[in-house]
Amino acid sequence: MLNIVLFGPPGAGKGTQSNLLINKYNLVHLSTGDILRSEISEGTKLGVEAKSIMDRGDLVSDEIVIGMISSKLDNNPDANGFIFDGFPRTEAQATALDNLLKGKETSISVMLSLKVADDELIKRLLKRGKDSGRADDKNESIIANRINEYNNKTAPLKTFYSNQDKLSEIEGIGSVEEIANRLNSVIDNL
Ligand code: AMP
């Protein structure tokens, strides 16, 4: 199986690149942000709980997102592999993911970490806020909080995966196609 952690700060291009990778490598896309937003639009109890946390740009609890990923893995027993987008975001989530995959006799193949400078992230997120109406993309102080959460709780996961010899850092500036080519060449050389 090919199991990819597509990593990077908010606005790094994880969603865009995931959509290209799932087609090229026939993978299942698991984005905890997308799953949470669909819970919100369906008005589920989980969605109601998560909304105010997401609107502030804070992280939803590990327990909730680990549970969501666990059930998605169970629901896709015949997958060729998975792209984890926006998950894991904490060390507890990364450890839980390793254990879930171990239970299915598989593991993470690689962490592809997209590198983009903060000023470019803010520009991209504000544009997405305008185009999509996403509440957490519209306000600069919420964006700053998300980047802060990333730097404090999520970025250390690069060490977690580099300790397993799985980290590959990729320049996230350039055209969508250029960045896709960089990702593809890492995957093709695994
Ligand atoms: P994203 O679409 O990945 O930018 O996620 C949007 C928001 O959903 C984040 O700012 C968090 O509030 C929440 N979220 C998504 N994935 C996770 C996760 N793995 N752990 C905690 N919170 C998450």
Side-chain angles (χ1 to χ4, degrees), residues 32-34 36-37 53-54 57-60 65 86-87 89 93 134 136 146:
T32 40
D34 285 351
L36 288 163
R37 280 183 291 279
I53 300 168
M54 291 169 72
D58 291 339
L59 292 187
V60 172
V65 291
F87 180 93
R89 262 177 157 102
Q93 293 177 24
R134 228 179 103 165
D136 58 347
R146 287 161 64 204

Side-chain angles (χ1 to χ4, degrees), residues 4 41 99 112 144 182-183:
I4 298 170
S41 65
N99 289 332
L112 301 172
R182 290 174 200 148
L183 296 172

